[in-house]
Amino acid sequence: HADLAKAMSKQRARFFFDKRTKPLREVRAPFAFAIDADRIATQFASSFGLTPERPLTPTRLEALAECRVHGFMQHVLKVDVEAPAGNAADARVLGTLAHAVMERFFTERKAAHVPAARITDADRDRVRALVAEEAAAVVATGHLAAIRAQVQWLETALVRAVSMLARAPRVDGVEPNDFEVRIGVPDRSGTPAALASAPIELGDGRTLYLGGIIDRVDEGPRARAVVDYKTASTGSIRRM
């Protein structure tokens, strides 16, 4: 194995550093494009939802569907493919802030038995206060004016979102009941999810596991609704 590895290393170096390297379609060598299928399957099984500990999530499915190369680089090889945030806040940070604010806001309303259809100026002020609390650590980084502008945008978008959810709910007769429901996905501390990954038999001896995090589950006597918050580039919060 040592001799084989050494030979492959030499071929790889010759391919990348020899100025006379041929185009890929013309490469003819003992180890060109050789892969160990079993090793690849074992190494990346968790990235494709083939293990219950790391199920395939909607975010990963969406990324792979939009662009297989981009999705593979980001979610399988773990390459940071996002554009540098520069002086502004990272889009992922803003998304985390939005989820934190919405979870706290609706959890408080549930504890106070506030109907989903009721929204007042005091409720909107509470959203603004929660944004200020959650964003305090972010505002202290980067270019102050740029980040404050982004936080202001987030505040406006979230106030608009809670108003829209109260005025035009996706499903009538339901109330927010559960928040940040984890399916097969542990939290940041490593605590296992309350719900196990959903297995799907592929018919070839393999099992695909699906999971993820549901932002909010609304329930009523006759219906149940799943609410997913998405930060959109148009300056609003989409809900699905």
Side-chain angles (χ1 to χ4, degrees), residues 45-187:
S46 62
S47 297
F48 292 102
L50 298 178
T51 62
E53 295 78 18
R54 191 164 185 262
L56 194 59
T57 64
T59 299
R60 218 177 317 156
L61 277 172
E62 185 178 21
L64 291 168
E66 288 182 352
C67 177
R68 287 176 290 181
V69 174
H70 187 281
F72 183 80
M73 295 290 287
Q74 181 178 21
H75 293 278
V76 179
L77 298 184
K78 307 301 181 185
V79 176
D80 189 353
V81 296
E82 300 295 336
N87 290 326
D90 190 299
R92 290 167 292 189
V93 173
L94 292 177
T96 300
L97 288 177
H99 281 77
V101 170
M102 296 294 264
E103 180 183 6
R104 289 182 61 185
F105 177 73
F106 285 107
T107 299
E108 290 176 0
R109 285 169 64 87
K110 177 187 176 182
H113 304 289
V114 179
R118 196 189 83 185
I119 188 77
T120 66
D121 287 340
D123 294 321
R124 297 183 181 92
D125 288 339
R126 180 56 182 160
V127 172
R128 297 185 181 97
L130 289 173
V131 170
E133 290 179 20
E134 293 291 339
V138 178
V139 172
T141 66
H143 191 280
L144 194 58
I147 292 181
R148 278 181 174 171
Q150 286 184 303
V151 172
Q152 181 62 51
W153 163 81
L154 183 65
E155 177 188 295
T156 301
L158 291 178
V159 168
R160 184 183 301 139
V162 298
S163 299
M164 290 173 59
L165 287 168
R167 183 172 61 252
R170 290 290 185 177
V171 178
D172 292 327
V174 296
E175 296 286 340
N177 188 66
D178 289 304
F179 311 94
E180 295 291 309
V181 179
R182 296 178 178 273
I183 303 174
V185 180
D187 62 20

